[in-house]
Amino acid sequence: MKIYTKTGDQGLTSLIGGTRVPKSSLRIDCYGTVDELNSYIGLLRDQPVNAGRRALLKEIQDRLFTIGASLASDPEKSKMKIPDLHAEDVALLEQEMDRMNETLPELRVFVLPGGHQSVSFAHLARCVCRRTERLVIHLREDSFVADLVVMYLNRLSDYLFVLSRQMAYELDAEEVKWEPRM
């Protein structure tokens, strides 16, 4: 099977369900940004400090593929069975954040991204997750998007922030505090 089809050479692509849309459409931007986020999660998974979290990070990548499939489907025409999210997926992120927060010092200030390259990757993933969330919320204004998709992305960005703190803690890296100039 060839990877190229040439069907997108005119700037259109097909949603699951067959509807052709411009590659510049908001729906395409949404699931393309989910794909970008998934790549950053893969980068995080490859960091040695996350060896014990690889299975969880892979599960997050699987959920992002689920979200991508949902967003790539035409809500009006697709008859295909698409994997879906469950409330337990959101609960898992919450449980992991609670577990990590048990060992982290209380946060009393804003922190700046950085302190260690691996920690910076977590902050990049968090920022892409927030952008993804904003795009998906914008899409939801005009088209169906399951509530759990927005909830999962919101919780995932929180998880990525706590993960960045946990990684800094485990790497004995400086947590760079923001000290506003007054």
Side-chain angles (χ1 to χ4, degrees):
M1 178 177 126
K2 290 183 179 180
I3 193 69
Y4 59 90
T5 62
K6 301 181 183 180
T7 59
D9 289 351
Q10 300 305 312
L12 298 175
T13 192
S14 293
L15 298 176
I16 298 172
T19 304
R20 302 280 293 164
V21 296
K23 289 183 176 185
S24 61
S25 78
L26 179 57
R27 182 168 292 280
I28 305 306
D29 201 13
C30 284
Y31 72 77
T33 308
V34 168
D35 189 35
E36 180 183 357
L37 172 59
N38 207 332
S39 296
Y40 275 107
I41 300 296
L43 183 62
L44 274 176
R45 194 173 52 125
D46 291 342
Q47 300 305 302
V49 69
N50 287 327
R53 289 181 279 270
R54 281 200 177 107
L56 175 61
L57 290 168
K58 182 187 177 296
E59 183 169 338
I60 289 169
Q61 287 185 289
D62 289 345
R63 295 299 79 75
L64 289 173
F65 252 79
T66 296
I67 290 170
S70 172
L71 295 171
S73 299
D74 183 336
E76 305 294 322
K77 295 188 179 178
S78 181
K79 304 278 190 254
M80 291 182 63
K81 175 120 173 81
I82 303 295
D84 56 357
L85 291 174
H86 301 276
E88 296 81 29
D89 299 320
V90 174
L92 175 63
L93 295 175
E94 293 170 348
Q95 291 162 9
E96 288 299 313
M97 283 186 281
D98 292 343
R99 189 184 58 70
M100 288 187 287
N101 274 325
E102 289 175 5
T103 62
L104 292 172
E106 184 178 347
L107 186 62
R108 295 179 175 267
V109 297
F110 288 104
V111 295
L112 299 175
H116 189 281
Q117 184 175 12
S118 294
V119 174
S120 294
F121 290 147
H123 282 288
L124 283 167
R126 175 185 55 79
C127 291
V128 173
C129 189
R130 284 290 187 209
R131 178 165 30 101
T132 305
E133 180 185 12
R134 290 189 303 270
L135 287 168
V136 168
I137 289 168
H138 185 86
L139 177 65
R140 186 172 68 173
E141 293 171 4
D142 296 319
S143 185
F144 174 79
V145 174
D147 290 341
L148 271 175
V149 167
V150 175
M151 288 174 61
Y152 188 84
L153 292 170
N154 184 36
R155 214 67 85 249
L156 179 57
S157 63
D158 295 338
Y159 168 81
L160 291 167
F161 177 73
V162 177
L163 176 61
S164 73
R165 295 195 69 224
Q166 183 69 34
M167 291 168 64
Y169 179 78
E170 292 170 2
L171 290 163
D172 198 29
E174 177 189 8
E175 199 166 47
V176 183
K177 295 171 179 60
W178 178 52
E179 297 175 16
R181 187 175 46 187
M182 298 295 194

